[in-house]
mmCIF file of all heavy atoms in Angstrom:
data_model
loop_
_atom_site.group_PDB
_atom_site.id
_atom_site.type_symbol
_atom_site.label_atom_id
_atom_site.label_comp_id
_atom_site.label_asym_id
_atom_site.label_seq_id
_atom_site.Cartn_x
_atom_site.Cartn_y
_atom_site.Cartn_z
ATOM 1 N N ALA A 1 28.684 -89.549 57.772
ATOM 2 C CA ALA A 1 27.911 -89.002 58.809
ATOM 3 C C ALA A 1 28.808 -88.015 59.695
ATOM 4 O O ALA A 1 28.308 -87.325 60.523
ATOM 5 C CB ALA A 1 27.401 -90.122 59.772
ATOM 6 N N SER A 2 30.060 -88.028 59.411
ATOM 7 C CA SER A 2 31.000 -87.164 60.230
ATOM 8 C C SER A 2 30.697 -85.663 60.057
ATOM 9 O O SER A 2 30.419 -85.270 58.921
ATOM 10 C CB SER A 2 32.397 -87.433 59.846
ATOM 11 O OG SER A 2 33.334 -86.599 60.567
ATOM 12 N N THR A 3 30.820 -84.919 61.197
ATOM 13 C CA THR A 3 30.727 -83.487 60.987
ATOM 14 C C THR A 3 32.041 -82.819 60.860
ATOM 15 O O THR A 3 32.129 -81.634 60.882
ATOM 16 C CB THR A 3 30.087 -82.921 62.310
ATOM 17 O OG1 THR A 3 30.838 -83.312 63.461
ATOM 18 C CG2 THR A 3 28.551 -83.484 62.429
ATOM 19 N N ALA A 4 33.133 -83.583 60.718
ATOM 20 C CA ALA A 4 34.426 -83.153 60.342
ATOM 21 C C ALA A 4 34.568 -83.158 58.837
ATOM 22 O O ALA A 4 33.833 -83.751 58.104
ATOM 23 C CB ALA A 4 35.507 -83.988 60.976
ATOM 24 N N ALA A 5 35.522 -82.269 58.407
ATOM 25 C CA ALA A 5 35.856 -82.249 56.977
ATOM 26 C C ALA A 5 36.328 -83.618 56.477
ATOM 27 O O ALA A 5 37.129 -84.183 57.110
ATOM 28 C CB ALA A 5 36.841 -81.126 56.693
ATOM 29 N N THR A 6 35.775 -84.045 55.328
ATOM 30 C CA THR A 6 36.168 -85.291 54.720
ATOM 31 C C THR A 6 36.728 -85.139 53.290
ATOM 32 O O THR A 6 37.595 -85.845 52.814
ATOM 33 C CB THR A 6 35.125 -86.346 54.662
ATOM 34 O OG1 THR A 6 34.026 -85.792 53.840
ATOM 35 C CG2 THR A 6 34.552 -86.624 56.069
ATOM 36 N N LEU A 7 36.211 -84.013 52.627
ATOM 37 C CA LEU A 7 36.539 -83.824 51.197
ATOM 38 C C LEU A 7 37.878 -83.025 51.074
ATOM 39 O O LEU A 7 38.249 -82.740 49.886
ATOM 40 C CB LEU A 7 35.416 -83.182 50.479
ATOM 41 C CG LEU A 7 34.106 -83.930 50.573
ATOM 42 C CD1 LEU A 7 32.934 -83.096 49.779
ATOM 43 C CD2 LEU A 7 34.203 -85.253 49.822
ATOM 44 N N ASN A 8 38.438 -82.655 52.200
ATOM 45 C CA ASN A 8 39.760 -82.025 52.072
ATOM 46 C C ASN A 8 40.907 -82.959 51.877
ATOM 47 O O ASN A 8 42.066 -82.590 51.701
ATOM 48 C CB ASN A 8 40.037 -81.146 53.372
ATOM 49 C CG ASN A 8 39.992 -81.938 54.620
ATOM 50 O OD1 ASN A 8 39.472 -83.069 54.604
ATOM 51 N ND2 ASN A 8 40.542 -81.404 55.700
ATOM 52 N N THR A 9 40.554 -84.252 51.936
ATOM 53 C CA THR A 9 41.585 -85.235 51.586
ATOM 54 C C THR A 9 41.474 -85.671 50.153
ATOM 55 O O THR A 9 40.366 -86.085 49.710
ATOM 56 C CB THR A 9 41.358 -86.515 52.525
ATOM 57 O OG1 THR A 9 41.467 -86.065 53.868
ATOM 58 C CG2 THR A 9 42.370 -87.674 52.154
ATOM 59 N N SER A 10 42.533 -85.548 49.318
ATOM 60 C CA SER A 10 42.485 -85.795 47.908
ATOM 61 C C SER A 10 41.938 -87.134 47.515
ATOM 62 O O SER A 10 41.188 -87.271 46.543
ATOM 63 C CB SER A 10 43.874 -85.615 47.286
ATOM 64 O OG SER A 10 44.309 -84.267 47.468
ATOM 65 N N GLY A 11 42.239 -88.266 48.349
ATOM 66 C CA GLY A 11 41.714 -89.478 48.059
ATOM 67 C C GLY A 11 40.237 -89.731 48.210
ATOM 68 O O GLY A 11 39.717 -90.738 47.789
ATOM 69 N N ASN A 12 39.559 -88.767 48.802
ATOM 70 C CA ASN A 12 38.082 -88.890 49.119
ATOM 71 C C ASN A 12 37.224 -88.160 48.000
ATOM 72 O O ASN A 12 36.018 -88.236 48.134
ATOM 73 C CB ASN A 12 37.799 -88.257 50.433
ATOM 74 C CG ASN A 12 38.382 -89.142 51.534
ATOM 75 O OD1 ASN A 12 38.745 -90.267 51.391
ATOM 76 N ND2 ASN A 12 38.393 -88.504 52.738
ATOM 77 N N ILE A 13 37.812 -87.486 47.079
ATOM 78 C CA ILE A 13 37.020 -86.757 46.103
ATOM 79 C C ILE A 13 37.147 -87.415 44.704
ATOM 80 O O ILE A 13 38.136 -88.009 44.348
ATOM 81 C CB ILE A 13 37.482 -85.291 45.957
ATOM 82 C CG1 ILE A 13 38.907 -85.135 45.589
ATOM 83 C CG2 ILE A 13 37.154 -84.610 47.343
ATOM 84 C CD1 ILE A 13 39.383 -83.697 45.298
ATOM 85 N N PHE A 14 36.004 -87.337 43.959
ATOM 86 C CA PHE A 14 35.936 -87.922 42.628
ATOM 87 C C PHE A 14 36.270 -87.037 41.524
ATOM 88 O O PHE A 14 36.400 -87.491 40.413
ATOM 89 C CB PHE A 14 34.571 -88.531 42.379
ATOM 90 C CG PHE A 14 34.131 -89.500 43.595
ATOM 91 C CD1 PHE A 14 32.812 -89.651 43.917
ATOM 92 C CD2 PHE A 14 35.114 -90.203 44.312
ATOM 93 C CE1 PHE A 14 32.461 -90.513 44.934
ATOM 94 C CE2 PHE A 14 34.754 -91.126 45.358
ATOM 95 C CZ PHE A 14 33.374 -91.234 45.650
ATOM 96 N N LEU A 15 36.224 -85.782 41.751
ATOM 97 C CA LEU A 15 36.528 -84.687 40.815
ATOM 98 C C LEU A 15 36.938 -83.502 41.607
ATOM 99 O O LEU A 15 36.765 -83.380 42.777
ATOM 100 C CB LEU A 15 35.269 -84.393 39.895
ATOM 101 C CG LEU A 15 34.052 -83.925 40.632
ATOM 102 C CD1 LEU A 15 33.954 -82.401 40.695
ATOM 103 C CD2 LEU A 15 32.762 -84.538 40.003
ATOM 104 N N GLU A 16 37.450 -82.507 40.916
ATOM 105 C CA GLU A 16 38.017 -81.350 41.653
ATOM 106 C C GLU A 16 37.716 -79.960 40.891
ATOM 107 O O GLU A 16 38.004 -79.842 39.632
ATOM 108 C CB GLU A 16 39.610 -81.510 41.720
ATOM 109 C CG GLU A 16 40.284 -80.557 42.530
ATOM 110 C CD GLU A 16 41.735 -80.966 42.793
ATOM 111 O OE1 GLU A 16 42.108 -82.085 42.523
ATOM 112 O OE2 GLU A 16 42.519 -79.956 43.030
ATOM 113 N N LEU A 17 37.103 -79.082 41.551
ATOM 114 C CA LEU A 17 36.913 -77.743 41.100
ATOM 115 C C LEU A 17 37.715 -76.794 41.940
ATOM 116 O O LEU A 17 37.468 -76.684 43.167
ATOM 117 C CB LEU A 17 35.413 -77.319 41.071
ATOM 118 C CG LEU A 17 34.459 -78.264 40.492
ATOM 119 C CD1 LEU A 17 32.993 -77.742 40.496
ATOM 120 C CD2 LEU A 17 34.772 -78.583 39.057
ATOM 121 N N ARG A 18 38.633 -76.062 41.343
ATOM 122 C CA ARG A 18 39.435 -75.161 42.131
ATOM 123 C C ARG A 18 39.097 -73.767 41.927
ATOM 124 O O ARG A 18 38.982 -73.251 40.840
ATOM 125 C CB ARG A 18 40.941 -75.309 41.707
ATOM 126 C CG ARG A 18 41.517 -76.717 41.989
ATOM 127 C CD ARG A 18 42.938 -76.771 41.474
ATOM 128 N NE ARG A 18 43.514 -78.142 41.746
ATOM 129 C CZ ARG A 18 44.803 -78.468 41.406
ATOM 130 N NH1 ARG A 18 45.614 -77.599 40.895
ATOM 131 N NH2 ARG A 18 45.217 -79.654 41.689
ATOM 132 N N PHE A 19 38.848 -73.105 43.081
ATOM 133 C CA PHE A 19 38.508 -71.609 43.065
ATOM 134 C C PHE A 19 39.698 -70.839 43.493
ATOM 135 O O PHE A 19 39.968 -70.781 44.647
ATOM 136 C CB PHE A 19 37.318 -71.383 43.926
ATOM 137 C CG PHE A 19 36.002 -72.019 43.425
ATOM 138 C CD1 PHE A 19 35.765 -73.359 43.761
ATOM 139 C CD2 PHE A 19 35.105 -71.303 42.689
ATOM 140 C CE1 PHE A 19 34.638 -73.992 43.259
ATOM 141 C CE2 PHE A 19 33.982 -71.939 42.174
ATOM 142 C CZ PHE A 19 33.697 -73.271 42.499
ATOM 143 N N GLY A 20 40.390 -70.290 42.510
ATOM 144 C CA GLY A 20 41.688 -69.728 42.720
ATOM 145 C C GLY A 20 41.773 -68.415 43.450
ATOM 146 O O GLY A 20 40.854 -67.536 43.230
ATOM 147 N N SER A 21 42.791 -68.176 44.248
ATOM 148 C CA SER A 21 42.989 -66.875 44.929
ATOM 149 C C SER A 21 43.270 -65.773 43.878
ATOM 150 O O SER A 21 43.014 -64.662 44.096
ATOM 151 C CB SER A 21 44.261 -66.991 45.826
ATOM 152 O OG SER A 21 45.395 -67.432 45.141
ATOM 153 N N ASP A 22 43.717 -66.205 42.649
ATOM 154 C CA ASP A 22 44.037 -65.190 41.568
ATOM 155 C C ASP A 22 42.871 -65.164 40.617
ATOM 156 O O ASP A 22 42.995 -64.562 39.495
ATOM 157 C CB ASP A 22 45.327 -65.555 40.871
ATOM 158 C CG ASP A 22 45.312 -67.090 40.475
ATOM 159 O OD1 ASP A 22 44.316 -67.758 40.589
ATOM 160 O OD2 ASP A 22 46.391 -67.490 39.890
ATOM 161 N N GLY A 23 41.662 -65.689 40.969
ATOM 162 C CA GLY A 23 40.560 -65.621 40.036
ATOM 163 C C GLY A 23 40.564 -66.533 38.947
ATOM 164 O O GLY A 23 39.794 -66.427 37.960
ATOM 165 N N VAL A 24 41.352 -67.637 39.035
ATOM 166 C CA VAL A 24 41.365 -68.647 38.026
ATOM 167 C C VAL A 24 40.510 -69.831 38.488
ATOM 168 O O VAL A 24 40.753 -70.395 39.562
ATOM 169 C CB VAL A 24 42.767 -69.167 37.716
ATOM 170 C CG1 VAL A 24 42.710 -70.299 36.716
ATOM 171 C CG2 VAL A 24 43.646 -68.024 37.082
ATOM 172 N N PHE A 25 39.405 -70.223 37.728
ATOM 173 C CA PHE A 25 38.568 -71.295 38.040
ATOM 174 C C PHE A 25 39.141 -72.510 37.226
ATOM 175 O O PHE A 25 39.255 -72.408 36.020
ATOM 176 C CB PHE A 25 37.124 -71.027 37.693
ATOM 177 C CG PHE A 25 36.249 -72.235 37.757
ATOM 178 C CD1 PHE A 25 35.916 -72.832 39.008
ATOM 179 C CD2 PHE A 25 35.710 -72.769 36.569
ATOM 180 C CE1 PHE A 25 35.031 -73.894 38.983
ATOM 181 C CE2 PHE A 25 34.907 -73.871 36.638
ATOM 182 C CZ PHE A 25 34.568 -74.400 37.817
ATOM 183 N N ARG A 26 39.472 -73.578 37.919
ATOM 184 C CA ARG A 26 40.082 -74.740 37.166
ATOM 185 C C ARG A 26 39.272 -76.063 37.519
ATOM 186 O O ARG A 26 38.988 -76.274 38.671
ATOM 187 C CB ARG A 26 41.541 -74.872 37.649
ATOM 188 C CG ARG A 26 42.277 -75.967 36.855
ATOM 189 C CD ARG A 26 43.841 -76.029 37.190
ATOM 190 N NE ARG A 26 44.416 -74.752 36.768
ATOM 191 C CZ ARG A 26 44.812 -74.519 35.628
ATOM 192 N NH1 ARG A 26 44.676 -75.347 34.599
ATOM 193 N NH2 ARG A 26 45.388 -73.324 35.349
ATOM 194 N N VAL A 27 39.085 -76.788 36.401
ATOM 195 C CA VAL A 27 38.291 -78.077 36.529
ATOM 196 C C VAL A 27 39.418 -79.199 36.348
ATOM 197 O O VAL A 27 40.078 -79.232 35.325
ATOM 198 C CB VAL A 27 37.200 -78.221 35.482
ATOM 199 C CG1 VAL A 27 36.545 -79.612 35.604
ATOM 200 C CG2 VAL A 27 36.216 -77.060 35.693
ATOM 201 N N VAL A 28 39.499 -80.128 37.282
ATOM 202 C CA VAL A 28 40.574 -81.173 37.247
ATOM 203 C C VAL A 28 39.852 -82.487 37.242
ATOM 204 O O VAL A 28 39.040 -82.795 38.095
ATOM 205 C CB VAL A 28 41.480 -81.079 38.391
ATOM 206 C CG1 VAL A 28 42.573 -82.131 38.252
ATOM 207 C CG2 VAL A 28 42.122 -79.663 38.512
ATOM 208 N N GLY A 29 40.241 -83.359 36.239
ATOM 209 C CA GLY A 29 39.727 -84.745 36.178
ATOM 210 C C GLY A 29 40.851 -85.732 35.948
ATOM 211 O O GLY A 29 41.994 -85.360 36.191
ATOM 212 N N SER A 30 40.472 -86.897 35.501
ATOM 213 C CA SER A 30 41.511 -87.970 35.355
ATOM 214 C C SER A 30 42.483 -87.716 34.292
ATOM 215 O O SER A 30 43.614 -88.241 34.345
ATOM 216 C CB SER A 30 40.763 -89.358 35.151
ATOM 217 O OG SER A 30 40.079 -89.288 33.948
ATOM 218 N N ALA A 31 42.129 -86.965 33.247
ATOM 219 C CA ALA A 31 42.990 -86.671 32.109
ATOM 220 C C ALA A 31 43.691 -85.478 32.114
ATOM 221 O O ALA A 31 44.442 -85.154 31.088
ATOM 222 C CB ALA A 31 42.076 -87.030 30.813
ATOM 223 N N GLY A 32 43.378 -84.583 32.891
ATOM 224 C CA GLY A 32 43.998 -83.248 32.931
ATOM 225 C C GLY A 32 43.062 -82.142 33.534
ATOM 226 O O GLY A 32 42.255 -82.459 34.346
ATOM 227 N N SER A 33 43.189 -80.880 33.083
ATOM 228 C CA SER A 33 42.408 -79.819 33.587
ATOM 229 C C SER A 33 42.176 -78.745 32.543
ATOM 230 O O SER A 33 42.785 -78.705 31.451
ATOM 231 C CB SER A 33 43.163 -79.159 34.773
ATOM 232 O OG SER A 33 44.393 -78.525 34.316
ATOM 233 N N SER A 34 41.175 -77.902 32.823
ATOM 234 C CA SER A 34 40.817 -76.737 31.984
ATOM 235 C C SER A 34 40.522 -75.609 32.923
ATOM 236 O O SER A 34 40.027 -75.784 34.079
ATOM 237 C CB SER A 34 39.589 -76.901 31.072
ATOM 238 O OG SER A 34 39.890 -78.094 30.200
ATOM 239 N N SER A 35 40.691 -74.394 32.465
ATOM 240 C CA SER A 35 40.579 -73.196 33.363
ATOM 241 C C SER A 35 39.845 -72.086 32.641
ATOM 242 O O SER A 35 39.894 -71.940 31.378
ATOM 243 C CB SER A 35 41.834 -72.710 33.914
ATOM 244 O OG SER A 35 42.785 -72.290 32.916
ATOM 245 N N GLU A 36 39.247 -71.180 33.500
ATOM 246 C CA GLU A 36 38.645 -69.957 33.048
ATOM 247 C C GLU A 36 39.014 -68.897 33.987
ATOM 248 O O GLU A 36 39.111 -69.063 35.178
ATOM 249 C CB GLU A 36 37.047 -70.128 33.013
ATOM 250 C CG GLU A 36 36.516 -71.117 31.984
ATOM 251 C CD GLU A 36 36.574 -70.692 30.604
ATOM 252 O OE1 GLU A 36 36.672 -69.436 30.430
ATOM 253 O OE2 GLU A 36 36.489 -71.561 29.725
ATOM 254 N N SER A 37 39.265 -67.707 33.439
ATOM 255 C CA SER A 37 39.558 -66.480 34.292
ATOM 256 C C SER A 37 38.288 -65.859 34.687
ATOM 257 O O SER A 37 37.340 -65.591 33.781
ATOM 258 C CB SER A 37 40.430 -65.520 33.532
ATOM 259 O OG SER A 37 41.739 -66.101 33.291
ATOM 260 N N LEU A 38 38.197 -65.486 35.950
ATOM 261 C CA LEU A 38 36.969 -64.866 36.477
ATOM 262 C C LEU A 38 37.195 -63.342 36.647
ATOM 263 O O LEU A 38 38.300 -62.871 36.691
ATOM 264 C CB LEU A 38 36.665 -65.435 37.811
ATOM 265 C CG LEU A 38 36.550 -66.936 37.928
ATOM 266 C CD1 LEU A 38 36.350 -67.447 39.401
ATOM 267 C CD2 LEU A 38 35.391 -67.450 37.084
ATOM 268 N N THR A 39 36.063 -62.628 36.716
ATOM 269 C CA THR A 39 36.019 -61.215 36.926
ATOM 270 C C THR A 39 35.572 -60.949 38.366
ATOM 271 O O THR A 39 34.567 -61.490 38.812
ATOM 272 C CB THR A 39 35.068 -60.525 35.953
ATOM 273 O OG1 THR A 39 35.560 -60.732 34.650
ATOM 274 C CG2 THR A 39 35.062 -59.029 36.195
ATOM 275 N N VAL A 40 36.256 -60.143 39.102
ATOM 276 C CA VAL A 40 35.907 -59.783 40.409
ATOM 277 C C VAL A 40 34.502 -59.229 40.574
ATOM 278 O O VAL A 40 34.160 -58.312 39.781
ATOM 279 C CB VAL A 40 36.899 -58.815 41.047
ATOM 280 C CG1 VAL A 40 36.466 -58.288 42.485
ATOM 281 C CG2 VAL A 40 38.329 -59.402 41.258
ATOM 282 N N GLY A 41 33.784 -59.745 41.500
ATOM 283 C CA GLY A 41 32.359 -59.304 41.740
ATOM 284 C C GLY A 41 31.286 -59.814 40.748
ATOM 285 O O GLY A 41 30.130 -59.450 41.007
#
């Protein structure tokens, strides 16, 4: 119910999708990660 950020704490999330500053999209789970390179725009 909080209006403050809660998912910015690693222990509160069940999976992780990273939107990279360098255009790398990365999916992180319990066993590792996979990534895809994005195109600007």
Side-chain angles (χ1 to χ4, degrees):
S2 174
T3 58
T6 63
L7 301 178
N8 59 342
T9 301
S10 295
N12 290 345
I13 59 173
F14 305 151
L15 59 93
E16 188 172 339
L17 308 183
R18 296 180 180 178
F19 294 85
S21 57
D22 51 4
V24 175
F25 170 72
R26 184 173 299 277
V27 179
V28 183
S30 63
S33 66
S34 300
S35 63
E36 296 285 340
S37 295
L38 306 175
T39 299
V40 171

